[in-house]
Amino acid sequence: MANVSMTVNGRSVSGQCEDRTLLVQFIRENLGLTGTHVGCDTSQCGACVVHVDGKAVKSCTMLAAQADGSEVVTIEGLSSGGELHPVQAAFREHHGLQCGFCTPGMIMSAVDMIKRHDGQLDEKTVRQELEGNICRCTGYHNIVKAVLDAASKMGEGAKVAAE
Amino acid sequence: MYATNYHRASSVEDAVKLASANDEAKYLSGGQTLLPTMKQRLAAPSDLVDLRHVSGLKGISVSGGSIRIGAATTHAEVASSTEIASACPGLAHLAAHIGDPHVRHMGTIGGSIANNDPAADYPAGLMALNATIVTNKRSIGADDFFTGMFDTALEDGELIVAVEIKAPSKSGYAKFPNPASRYAMTGVFVAKHGDGSVRVAVTGAGSGGVFRQSDIEQALASNFSAGALDGITVDDSDLMSDIHASSAYRANLVKVMAKRAVAAAG
Ligand SMILES: Cc1cc2nc3c(=O)[nH]c(=O)nc-3n(C[C@H](O)[C@H](O)[C@H](O)COP(=O)(O)OP(=O)(O)OC[C@H]3O[C@@H](n4cnc5c(N)ncnc54)[C@H](O)[C@@H]3O)c2cc1C
Ligand code: FES
Ligand code: FES
């Protein structure tokens, strides 16, 4: 058995699990944070994407024990003070979801993508960067629109903050 | 996944010691191949020795044309390294097109070459670049390291520590990704070296894994341009045939990707 401690959405948590427990199982079953989804068995769909130490990773392809000592952010940790995160707001605004199953992973990937590109995104880059996230419903079109809109809004915000 | 025991190594020596303590132990680097394989119950190591916290296995250094990449350096780190981008742009491009962003945040160069998947990208890059693979025991040239599909010269418990490359004068990589998995259906890396020699390695196509294509190497050694390959016919007798592509289709892809790689190398 492994004793794991990590910071999840700003809160220190610890728990016991088997060494083979996946990070996604630990998040969903030990912590009860069921926003992070499991959509496949093959590490391909991206429904399980969370941020570990500031980077988007597939939580179905990491052991909870590997994340011991790390900072984890899940979809539940994005909004603050009852306000949606700009990427969440853009997904709502642009109908970037239908059934919503892929959405937590899409949003965590989008936040990571916007950060890595400093908000400077074009459609081709967004489509390429969504390589690791599969959506069965939307045809991606509105997801891409939502990411682009959030990127430009967050870019403006960053500029205003800097001025 | 079957039960396993997790260990976190603190140094190269510690990792080797932990792995040697059990016959069925395996190193765990980025986990982007090993964990999916364990989830499918196709691998069942009794013990996993995590390499992600071993500082001696990490980092990129470039000095005087010598490039050294630690085995536990992630694909994302290689892709975003300005030093690699200027010393060996083909390798930066290759790393940036492995899988997807999440896989690149975790997956490592050491894990990729230890696995030697016949459709993986790094084996083609390292073979064309005539890289040296440094382990805890010895140094192995890329031609001797990659011994066949999913097979390498590594002995049981031998740990890859780093990869060393002499910066080429030109390098380029072009990959035709499988539309579903994004692994290479055929990928070709071309490198022109300081002594004027040219090495060309092909992944995703050979029935024995990564290989060098000597006809293309010779044509490019006398004239390093895409046009020099116009008259080449690639023999398809040792190429893979599967539901994705026939060997004849792959043979054509080898030529087309080689031309694109040369054009990218400039
Ligand atoms: C969805 C998806 C898409 C992908 N697409 C691509 C692609 O397009 N192209 C591509 O090339 N790859 C692709 N990959 C594979 C990816 O690049 C992996 O990161 C890589 O193959 C293995 O590296 P790792 O660090 O994750 O190794 P691990 O999974 O941790 O280990 C793989 C093997 O190598 C051994 N090993 C690890 N490190 C060492 C070491 N230092 N010394 C000795 N042995 C070691 C392990 O014991 C294990 O047997 C993809 C993976 C996924 C999940
Ligand atoms: S559940 Fe993690 S990639 Fe599909
Ligand atoms: S909205 Fe249904 S899977 Fe994406």
Side-chain angles (χ1 to χ4, degrees):
Chain A
M1 291 295 268
N3 283 309
V4 296
S5 304
M6 56 185 95
T7 307
V8 179
N9 302 331
R11 196 165 59 92
S12 295
V13 299
S14 48
Q16 259 209 345
C17 61
E18 285 188 278
D19 288 17
R20 64 175 158 179
T21 302
L22 299 170
L23 178 58
V24 69
Q25 279 172 292
F26 186 77
I27 290 171
R28 290 177 56 87
E29 291 163 27
N30 289 52
L31 305 180
L33 295 170
T34 53
T36 303
H37 291 169
V38 176
C40 74
D41 237 354
T42 52
S43 304
Q44 283 170 311
C45 76
C48 61
V49 170
V50 302
H51 298 176
V52 174
D53 298 323
K55 296 194 169 79
V57 303
K58 291 174 176 168
S59 60
C60 74
T61 313
M62 184 172 194
L63 300 174
Q66 282 177 284
D68 182 40
S70 289
E71 293 248 351
V72 178
V73 179
T74 70
I75 187 72
E76 289 92 344
L78 280 190
S79 66
S80 65
E83 287 271 323
L84 290 181
H85 183 280
V87 177
Q88 293 174 307
F91 268 67
R92 185 172 67 177
E93 171 78 16
H94 292 276
H95 304 286
L97 59 144
Q98 287 179 16
C99 80
F101 195 83
C102 69
T103 313
M106 286 286 177
I107 290 181
M108 297 313 284
S109 303
V111 171
D112 172 73
M113 179 195 317
I114 292 169
K115 190 178 84 189
R116 275 187 291 109
H117 290 269
D118 241 346
Q120 303 298 308
L121 286 168
D122 53 31
E123 182 183 337
K124 185 167 171 244
T125 311
V126 174
R127 287 188 183 273
Q128 254 168 14
E129 292 259 341
L130 287 178
E131 183 57 54
N133 295 80
I134 294 174
C135 176
R136 290 293 259 171
C137 307
T138 63
Y140 302 95
H141 196 63
N142 288 349
I143 292 176
V144 175
K145 270 204 256 177
V147 177
L148 286 170
D149 187 35
S152 73
K153 290 202 171 117
M154 289 166 74
E156 278 165 31
K159 239 191 286 168
V160 171
E163 277 165 7
Chain B
M1 190 185 293
Y2 292 108
T4 188
N5 298 302
Y6 171 86
H7 311 269
R8 189 174 284 191
S10 57
S11 66
V12 169
E13 297 70 40
D14 189 35
V16 173
K17 202 170 105 205
L18 285 166
S20 67
N22 199 301
D23 278 357
E24 301 293 321
K26 265 189 177 294
Y27 295 117
L28 176 66
S29 192
Q32 301 303 291
T33 291
L34 185 52
L35 292 176
T37 314
M38 289 172 68
K39 289 200 293 183
Q40 305 290 326
R41 295 191 165 179
L42 296 172
S46 62
D47 294 77
L48 289 174
V49 178
D50 187 354
L51 306 176
R52 279 174 77 239
H53 301 270
V54 179
S55 58
L57 294 176
K58 292 212 224 190
I60 295 169
S61 67
V62 179
S63 78
S66 298
I67 304 169
R68 184 181 165 98
I69 305 173
T73 307
T74 63
H75 308 331
E77 285 160 350
V78 173
S80 63
S81 157
T82 49
E83 285 178 298
I84 299 284
S86 71
C88 191
L91 196 65
H93 176 85
L94 176 152
H97 289 81
I98 296 175
D100 58 55
H102 326 310
V103 168
R104 294 195 288 272
H105 280 150
M106 291 294 288
T108 67
I109 188 168
S112 175
I113 62 173
N115 193 50
N116 195 18
D117 187 303
D121 298 295
Y122 267 129
L126 298 199
M127 197 177 256
L129 290 165
N130 201 12
T132 301
I133 289 91
V134 181
T135 76
N136 62 316
K137 294 183 177 164
R138 58 192 167 139
S139 293
I140 313 167
D143 285 339
D144 299 323
F145 181 84
F146 299 107
T147 48
M149 223 182 241
F150 295 110
D151 204 26
T152 67
L154 290 174
E155 291 163 8
D156 281 349
E158 190 169 2
L159 177 73
I160 303 170
V161 174
V163 167
E164 291 177 348
I165 298 164
K166 224 169 151 306
S169 47
K170 288 182 178 189
S171 63
Y173 183 61
K175 147 170 163 180
F176 187 90
N178 177 311
S181 77
R182 313 311 281 178
Y183 271 92
M185 207 142 90
T186 290
V188 178
F189 200 104
V190 301
K192 186 170 184 189
H193 295 274
D195 60 3
S197 66
V198 174
R199 290 169 63 104
V200 175
V202 180
T203 187
S207 42
V210 63
F211 69 96
R212 284 173 63 192
Q213 221 296 348
S214 52
D215 295 342
I216 297 180
E217 288 184 349
Q218 278 159 25
L220 293 176
S222 48
N223 174 10
F224 194 80
S225 75
L229 304 182
D230 284 339
I232 299 257
T233 310
V234 175
D235 177 16
D236 73 351
S237 50
D238 284 329
L239 300 189
M240 274 192 277
S241 229
D242 56 25
I243 55 164
H244 307 299
S246 66
S247 54
Y249 188 79
R250 281 192 165 89
N252 188 55
L253 277 179
V254 171
K255 177 171 162 179
V256 175
M257 291 304 116
K259 289 172 103 172
R260 288 188 193 168
V262 173

